[in-house]
């Protein structure tokens, strides 16, 4: 024992995030959003849309968090640890930079897990269809959505934290937010230009390298009750997003700077 | 060269410290700030490092901590390093108690709590609301509490006494001199009290030469004191 707790950066960062309450409020606000936002619409004209609208509100809230809130938290945390001199302090103590980076990201990612779990619980318990077979398929879709969200969020948080520590809070937030925006919305615009079949060669490779977070957004399947993704499609999406996430993790670890 | 003993800090003869000039025109050129021509070996005890501002103390300490590579030669450390930079800070939203809870093991935490009481630190006050002196106490307590774990440490502390009142400085010096045998502590200071109680003194002479200046009992201490406090 060297007097320092295990997972020291994780514990320290998590304690700070808990003390600030911002992440806690984000999670606690999720049920409010799921209940309130659908009721701001003229839902009385067609009451059955209330449940899908709740799902849409939850998904919107979670993706919104992944677009801005969580990357910002990670980037601010990374920058703060850098300016406080703690990254250097722990680095001098022999801790590996990759471990510091992963602990930093884990402290924020835990809140993503909490928010995603809360969101998926709301979807599964309060928005599921009444018919038992449909409800079973609905729950499977909920699990798929939660899994894909968690899969893409980890590397994004790590990237934001790494860039935040190395450059600035703003840079960390913007880099991660840009990737999410590109992966969710930009990909549809770029598909006609870059997708395999449209053009060959390097453009196709660029298409492969672009973030495909649209694969992880199953909101439309909830809204139109399309059921869960077929096993092969889900596995393909998970592998593609996992490989992209792995690449993002490697880039993040290269960018992370524990020393000034 | 023999392997260093448990908490020995060794600088090989001919080791130089500094940094590489970056940017346009710099081209990675080495800028030597401090040289250790004869080598140095620090074993357990309190070693005080005093030199004028800008002489290269922090650069040397950062190199010893492994945060900068030496420009030439080699530094060998025989134990885990606890590096406390002069700008080390903590989460302003956390109290000292919360910091100790997050950073230390249970045993070290108990030691930290008793040290905080001994140094009159309000453990429930948020770090961001503490005065400069009380913030310095937090850093000092974290370093001292780690020693309670019994594992040898090399403590590299950059101006840890800055901002402390006279009485607290004396209590901290008592802690330093009572530290477990085998603890090697190299402290950069500008205060006078530690010079008298140190096991060895180091300074940076003209030309950036790192040099031991003898024990506090001999006349070398007075010479060092005069040189540090001479009006330019």
């Amino acid at each position: 024992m060297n007097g320092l707790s295990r997972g020291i950066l994780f514990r320290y960062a998590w304690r700070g995030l808990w003390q600030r309450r911002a992440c806690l409020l984000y999670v606690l606000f999720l049920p409010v959003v799921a209940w309130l936002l659908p009721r701001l619409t003229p839902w009385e004209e067609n009451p059955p849309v209330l449940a899908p609208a709740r799902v849409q509100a939850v998904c919107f809230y979670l993706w919104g968090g992944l677009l801005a809130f969580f990357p910002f938290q990670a980037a601010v945390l990374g920058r703060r640890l850098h300016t406080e001199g703690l990254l250097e302090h722990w680095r001098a103590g022999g801790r590996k930079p990759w471990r510091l980076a992963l602990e930093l990201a884990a402290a924020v990612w835990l809140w993503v897990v909490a928010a995603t779990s809360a969101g998926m619980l709301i979807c599964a318990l309060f928005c599921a269809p009444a018919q038992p077979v449909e409800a079973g398929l609905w729950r499977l879709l909920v699990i798929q959505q939660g899994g894909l969200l968690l899969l893409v969020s980890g590397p994004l948080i790590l990237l934001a934290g790494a860039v935040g520590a190395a450059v600035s809070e703003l840079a960390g937030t913007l880099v991660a937010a840009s990737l999410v925006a590109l992966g969710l919305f930009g990909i549809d615009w770029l598909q006609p230009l870059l997708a395999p079949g449209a053009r060959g060669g390097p453009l196709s490779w660029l298409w492969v390298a672009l973030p495909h977070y649209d694969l992880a957004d199953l909101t439309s399947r909830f809204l139109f009750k399309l059921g869960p993704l077929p096993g092969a499609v889900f596995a393909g999406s998970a592998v593609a997003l996992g490989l992209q996430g792995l690449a993002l993790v490697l880039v993040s670890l290269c960018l992370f700077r524990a020393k000034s | 060269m023999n392997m260093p003993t448990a908490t020995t800090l060794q600088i090989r003869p001919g080791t130089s410290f500094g940094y590489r000039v970056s940017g346009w025109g710099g081209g990675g050129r080495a800028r030597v700030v401090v040289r250790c021509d004869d080598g140095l070996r620090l074993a357990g005890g309190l070693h005080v490092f005093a030199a004028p501002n800008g002489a290269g103390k922090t650069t040397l300490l950062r190199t010893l901590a492994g945060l900068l590579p030496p420009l030439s030669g080699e530094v060998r450390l025989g134990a885990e390093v606890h590096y406390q930079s002069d700008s080390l800070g903590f989460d302003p939203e956390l109290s000292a108690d919360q910091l100790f809870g997050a950073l230390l093991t249970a045993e070290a935490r108990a030691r930290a709590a008793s040290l905080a009481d001994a140094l009159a630190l309000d453990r429930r006050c948020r770090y961001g609301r503490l005065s400069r002196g009380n913030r310095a106490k937090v850093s000092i307590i974290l370093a001292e509490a780690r020693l309670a774990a019994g594992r040898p440490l090399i403590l590299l502390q950059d101006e840890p006494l800055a901002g402390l009142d006279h009485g607290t400085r004396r209590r901290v010096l008592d802690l330093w001199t009572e530290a477990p045998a085998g603890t090697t502590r190299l402290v950069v200071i500008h205060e006078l009290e530690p010079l008298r109680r140190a096991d060895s003194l180091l300074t940076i002479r003209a030309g950036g030469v790192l040099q031991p200046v003898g024990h506090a009992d001999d006349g070398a201490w007075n010479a060092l004191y005069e040189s540090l406090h001479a009006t330019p």
Side-chain angles (χ1 to χ4, degrees):
Chain A
M1 298 290 279
N2 61 3
L4 295 179
S5 58
R6 284 171 181 269
I8 189 167
L9 193 157
F10 172 79
R11 288 169 61 104
Y12 173 82
W14 198 87
R15 188 68 78 101
L17 291 171
W18 174 262
Q19 188 68 18
R20 281 174 171 74
R21 306 277 191 265
C23 291
L24 182 65
L25 281 175
Y26 177 88
V27 176
L28 294 178
F29 204 57
L30 178 57
V32 179
V33 166
W35 180 81
L36 189 66
L37 280 190
R39 288 183 180 276
L40 297 178
T41 63
W43 63 276
E44 296 92 337
E45 293 174 11
N46 187 11
V49 300
L50 202 54
R54 283 203 182 107
V55 175
Q56 192 173 19
V58 166
C59 291
F60 175 80
Y61 190 74
L62 290 175
W63 279 109
L66 207 52
L67 180 75
F69 180 75
F70 288 115
F72 176 72
Q73 294 297 325
V76 167
L77 178 60
R79 197 62 201 161
R80 188 158 49 75
L81 290 169
H82 173 87
T83 51
E84 285 169 354
L86 280 167
L87 291 178
E88 284 199 335
H89 174 72
W90 288 320
R91 184 75 189 91
R95 275 156 191 81
K96 302 290 181 199
W98 62 265
R99 185 166 179 168
L100 293 174
L102 291 179
E103 285 187 32
L104 187 162
V108 179
W109 191 68
L110 205 62
W111 288 103
V112 182
V113 174
T116 305
S117 304
M120 295 305 110
L121 270 178
I122 290 171
C123 291
L125 298 179
F126 302 108
C127 309
Q131 211 272 332
V133 177
E134 279 187 22
L137 294 173
W138 179 273
R139 279 195 286 274
L140 185 56
L141 179 59
V142 167
I143 291 170
Q144 287 181 342
Q145 174 64 95
L148 291 176
L149 255 172
L150 293 179
L151 184 65
V152 300
S153 60
L156 279 167
I157 299 297
L158 178 62
L159 178 70
V163 176
V167 186
S168 71
E169 304 93 324
L170 187 63
T173 309
L174 284 180
V175 166
S178 304
L179 277 181
V180 176
L182 178 63
L184 275 181
F185 313 116
I187 213 82
D188 285 340
W189 297 338
L190 293 171
Q191 187 169 16
L193 296 171
L194 304 177
R199 302 278 171 89
L203 288 178
S204 298
W205 285 107
L206 179 61
W207 171 255
V208 172
L210 286 174
H212 287 273
Y213 297 137
D214 56 327
L215 296 176
D217 182 17
L218 307 182
T219 313
S220 57
R221 299 192 76 84
F222 282 112
L223 296 182
F224 302 111
K225 296 191 177 173
L226 298 176
L229 287 170
V233 176
F234 175 72
S237 298
V239 168
L241 292 169
L243 288 174
Q244 286 198 330
L246 188 64
L248 215 52
V249 167
L250 294 176
V251 169
S252 305
L253 294 180
C254 291
L255 290 173
F256 184 73
R257 290 281 175 275
K259 301 177 188 175
S260 296
Chain B
M1 176 181 271
N2 296 328
M3 285 298 290
T5 53
T7 58
T8 304
L9 186 160
Q10 288 184 0
I11 303 173
R12 292 189 72 159
T15 302
S16 59
F17 304 86
Y19 48 87
R20 298 201 175 271
V21 180
S22 57
W24 296 105
R29 188 163 36 87
R31 186 186 183 291
V32 176
V33 179
V34 182
R35 298 194 329 268
C36 183
D37 297 334
D38 302 327
L40 188 70
R41 182 178 180 280
L42 299 177
L46 172 60
H47 308 280
V48 167
F49 186 20
N53 291 333
K57 301 185 296 293
T58 298
T59 301
L60 174 64
L61 220 59
R62 284 173 57 79
T63 309
L64 296 179
L67 298 172
L68 286 172
L71 295 176
S72 64
E74 188 185 11
V75 172
R76 284 184 167 207
L77 301 162
E80 184 180 335
V81 167
H82 178 98
Y83 173 61
Q84 181 184 330
S85 77
D86 59 345
S87 58
L88 182 66
F90 298 95
D91 191 330
E93 295 297 322
L94 297 181
S95 67
D97 254 346
Q98 290 170 321
L99 286 171
F100 300 153
L103 299 175
L104 299 172
T105 58
E107 185 186 25
R109 210 178 304 149
R111 172 72 174 146
S114 68
L115 286 172
D117 294 340
L119 295 178
L121 172 69
D122 181 356
R123 285 187 277 141
R124 291 184 180 171
C125 182
R126 281 190 289 168
Y127 186 80
R129 293 191 175 179
L130 292 174
S131 66
R132 185 186 172 202
N134 280 323
R135 290 182 185 192
K137 287 179 190 174
V138 173
S139 297
I140 289 168
I141 289 168
L142 280 169
E144 301 310 311
R146 288 190 64 189
L147 297 175
R151 198 158 126 177
L153 274 181
I154 294 175
L155 295 115
L156 304 173
Q157 296 172 289
D158 197 350
E159 302 192 33
L161 303 180
L164 296 180
D165 61 67
H166 180 69
T168 307
R169 283 208 300 265
R170 286 186 59 180
R171 282 195 286 276
V172 171
L173 280 173
D174 291 340
L175 287 173
W176 287 356
T177 48
E178 293 160 7
T183 303
T184 300
R185 187 191 307 270
L186 178 58
V187 191
V188 170
I189 49 121
H190 290 291
E191 295 78 8
L192 300 178
E193 299 101 311
L195 294 179
R196 297 184 185 281
R197 297 168 72 169
D199 295 302
S200 78
L201 309 175
L202 299 170
T203 192
I204 298 172
R205 296 290 188 200
V209 179
L210 177 67
Q211 202 170 46
V213 289
H215 193 267
D217 289 340
D218 62 32
W221 179 86
N222 287 327
L224 175 62
Y225 173 80
E226 292 299 331
S227 70
L228 291 176
H229 292 81
T231 305

